[in-house]
């Protein structure tokens, strides 16, 4: 996409869908999508204990330049997640409390950024959730065009505007907009299955037996010994 | 050791020994062992403020495959530490709240894993302590055999089943099973010495004087100047 | 500077200056100095929520050897920041609760170290603030001479004894001693400007309009489309 | 895309197009596309001095499992580039001389893999070009389904089957299949401009003057001093 | 093992065994041992094109201190590999052309070191092979005791004195002394199998068919489509 | 220093001094300066086998912006080394064959840059030596002011314009301009000492005996055992 392209609109999911994805959490949603959609594990929350889901307003910026974030604010609506991708590896502090104040006034739910953030004490006090590659006080300039609401690559994932970003203490996962309903169906199945399994595990039953894994392990040659010495002699 | 080897038993230390090692903490135990046994500093707790010690139930897995963790659960006893080594560098989320529920039902004290963990909000809520290489939502498969309770290399240390794992906010240290008593003796000496030293330092006495370091420093040529200019002119 | 050089004295700022720099915080001070002076983003606090400013007592040590830290304690005064640079990349735990006790007795405000620290649970309990490259239990020796209160390179910055170290949850920034007053003037201007801007942003006004960025963006060719399809067709 | 999806066909560019992109090289093609399409700089050739361009046969695998590479071979044609993406960070040696022999028999031009390779001495002797994240002897398994010829994320770029992969000693860049002709037009313009500029630079003319940068620099406040002392006094 | 322990002797393999392991190479030996024994992939040769195998004379040093390497030289015999482990992460240049001259005079085959080396231009000219974690000019001291010929952890592997170190452009693998003969038997089987397979692959036969993988892939649900569109519609 | 400061002049060493430092090489010069002045080991040559020394023309740029390199060319003279520092961690390809052509026309000896370079195949063909943090095709912009010939921090070292940069396959070391003569004296002493020592080592004498280290080792408690078993029993 040509640099300097700004798209004003994006599709949005229902509050109920977002709420259900947020409650399910990153690991479950990732599994429900066939183990896909996960951002690189270097994406971490700036403070623990938050979970969110919202449609992505995407921004593409260049290293050391946060200008397009300012352009993107105009198109954010309540519940959205501002998602910032960078055209190359970068660690600068592209976002701080002023931009957070601006996003808060629009009702934005969170920021996800493949670069640094700063003013993190203020952001924590505002309870404005951020997942980022790092924390850095390094300031940025406003000199080059990027894009808003075009597809981007962020922390190893492909994100289109409107895709649902789910984030919690485990990291960040991306649900393509058109997959939301199918993902929710798989999420519900997984949660139902996990719930009954959790009870059995809590009561001391082994996962090995619940899942009937012993025959497969035996076929592959798993061998039990009473002691290490016995194993070494065999 | 041949892949697919599972050893059922391991030696275990007394609760008093474990309690004393846990109270001493990682840095002191590492010093008491002649500055050995420390895991790589990338091993971090998923939440701060916990300290544990327990005998290791060791597991060797392959990148992206957590099957052998399920096999190992069966051999855990109250107070044990489940210790997971990987045969190559890996960052996948190999352990989550279901496995933690299963380990909790066995009374396991903690997990130490040279890979990623997930469901960390749940683990924190359960107060199930984990030290890991990273946090990642990435799911794993169950396809290949590894080993249980054989010696492994974990985060740069050699661990045999039954070795005592001590972990706190400073990281993780491994005490070979047969060294526990000797280590405790050295720990006690060190703690006694540190205690009196701490009081003297708190009262403003210098470590330089308490340890009588000035003569050695002078012999090596340490030279004091009043100002930087004076030093530059000399 | 010759290894083994110790300088006894350093210039010190007024408590009012230090207090004002600390309150302004890392990101603001860095901007006020023309986006300079910031340490590498790998320097992190061992616990969140602290902000400090103090004149640097500088120490240069070698990998694995913390001897010169002991030499430096003697020259610390209330409010100082002990700043430890290393002559090569190092991750050892060079500082723990005993040294912190000693520094506390001198009234030292904080430690900044381009290496590891240990006993972090104790340091947190003492509320002794530390910014470091990492946390590691690894012990160090006392064998080689370094320097005290000579200029050093620490985490990518140049620090002379007496320079003001400002640190908070965003990281660490260095204000050269002779720039303190000029920096404070720029800080005040920036804070005044930010304050009025924050109010306007909070009320929903766009940064784009407050800063009148639209003409410049248009000149560079920024183009708005209603939908992605429209942008792709253009 | 559902795991286990294999697409047999892909669009292919003309040999003349591939030849022209290869000759232009990675940096020029990246610039011609508006500074986009570049893989992360960790992607390096296993030996220096090679440049290639070819349409991508894409493969998605999981950490530690190279099975889908074997599935993909069947769909490779002379001049293609086999491109392997992994669903999470991985460093295993997924590809060696046997797979290279198989690809060579199909006329494949090169391998690009976001993981490790092995048998690199053999690959160099065969003159089979590889760009990879690392070199590792670590073996992999054949247990899980991935995808062939579906869109993938590889080293921070989005790649569809048929996209042209250009690689040389500077790294790897991806040209979307439908952009090849437009990219070539921009490449030619850039090369023409660079050629005349190179001659002027070689003759000692300054880029500052060729590009008439002085007025803009002056407007921003660039100030020349004869000596450092003069600059410090100003 | 107590710091300061030096063992004079180690078991040694026959020249024929070493020659055969060296010829087989790292990847093959690693596979023949059930995918074990491989050092971390950060261990790289300082120049390409060498392959060696020799019994390990092990050394344990501390960060920034190479004294024990000097102690170890005395116990090296022709064909040995000097193997240096460090008690914590370190990047200093612990070894240069003087030590290489000393080792060469003893007939030592190579150095493997989990730290830095220097004088690499000289080492290349001497054709003295080295595998290391990095290259660094940083000098080290001679102040602390380590161990010689005791078991060590090196780059993620456990090495006892006398274990065979095999190294080539793929990295480094460790064969426990007592496993040499069993490993060679497995190596021969693997090489025989690979040789016939290589011919079939070179003639264009698919690995998928040679290994009869299609039924297993089909059982897991691998599905072929003619085009991406067809796959998306299914 | 204020951004936008350009200093036209710098002190320069004699060709004989530069030649002698270049011949001595990085490791020897670093030792001769008391083990100081070494850049971080991540600074690597883009091709092996070159050694240079020259006075630094310093440049300070910002991430993603190479404008000031163009400004600096004007002040380079034959034999100089262009040294580029960045105000924060950056990996972009800031320098390529056009800038190299321009520098070559001025007789510049080499580039040292704490960021990426590109067109490395061309640079190798031109035999234009470069030491850099990485290789990357990523293009940069020309938008922000930095500095020329002011003191900078580059890869962990402090460099003033005119300081001598010595670089070879071991990395890069900085000799302050005013220390050149003193450094050369120490270099000559070291080389003389090393030369006689090299002969003795080549003849099989041990460093332990040449340096008479045995008594010190014995005092610290070094203990020799014939076998590992004997050591374990002691």
């Amino acid at each position: 996409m040509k640099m300097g392209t700004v798209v004003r609109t994006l599709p949005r999911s229902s509050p109920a869908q977002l709420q259900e994805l947020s409650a399910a959490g990153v690991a479950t949603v990732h599994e429900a999508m066939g183990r896909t959609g996960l951002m690189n594990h270097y994406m971490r929350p700036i403070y623990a204990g938050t979970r969110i889901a919202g449609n992505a307003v995407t921004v593409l910026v260049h290293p050391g330049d946060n200008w397009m974030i300012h352009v993107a604010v105009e198109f954010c609506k309540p519940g959205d997640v501002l998602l910032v991708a960078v055209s190359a590896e970068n660690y600068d502090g592209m976002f701080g409390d002023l931009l957070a104040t601006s996003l808060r006034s629009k009702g934005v739910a969170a920021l996800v950024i493949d670069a640094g953030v700063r003013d993190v004490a203020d952001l924590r006090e505002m309870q404005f959730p951020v997942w980022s590659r790092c924390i850095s006080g390094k300031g940025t300039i406003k000199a080059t065009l990027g894009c808003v609401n075009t597809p981007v690559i962020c922390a190893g994932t492909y994100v289109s505007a409107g895709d649902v970003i789910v984030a919690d203490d485990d990291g960040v996962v991306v649900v393509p907009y058109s997959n939301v309903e199918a993902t929710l169906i798989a999420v519900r199945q997984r949660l139902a299955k996990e719930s009954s399994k959790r009870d059995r595990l809590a009561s001391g039953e082994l996962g090995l037996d619940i899942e009937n894994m012993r025959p497969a392990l035996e076929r592959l040659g798993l061998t039990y010994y009473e002691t290490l010495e016995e194993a070494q002699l065999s």
Side-chain angles (χ1 to χ4, degrees), chain A residues 24-102:
Chain A
V26 166
T28 296
V29 169
H30 158 69
E31 290 282 349
M33 290 196 299
R35 289 185 185 147
T36 63
L38 205 64
M39 288 196 184
N40 193 306
H41 63 81
Y42 63 62
M43 295 296 285
R44 299 297 306 141
I46 59 168
Y47 56 92
T50 306
R51 50 177 57 212
I52 60 97
N55 297 100
V57 172
T58 66
V59 189
L60 177 63
V61 301
H62 296 286
D65 190 324
N66 77 345
W67 210 4
M68 296 308 286
I69 301 181
H70 293 266
V71 173
V73 176
E74 188 167 10
F75 308 106
C76 293
K77 292 205 184 310
D80 287 349
V81 171
L82 192 70
L83 182 137
V84 182
V86 192
S87 63
E89 198 174 344
N90 190 248
Y91 299 87
D92 296 342
M94 293 202 167
F95 182 98
D97 80 305
L98 287 180
L99 273 165
T101 300
S102 187

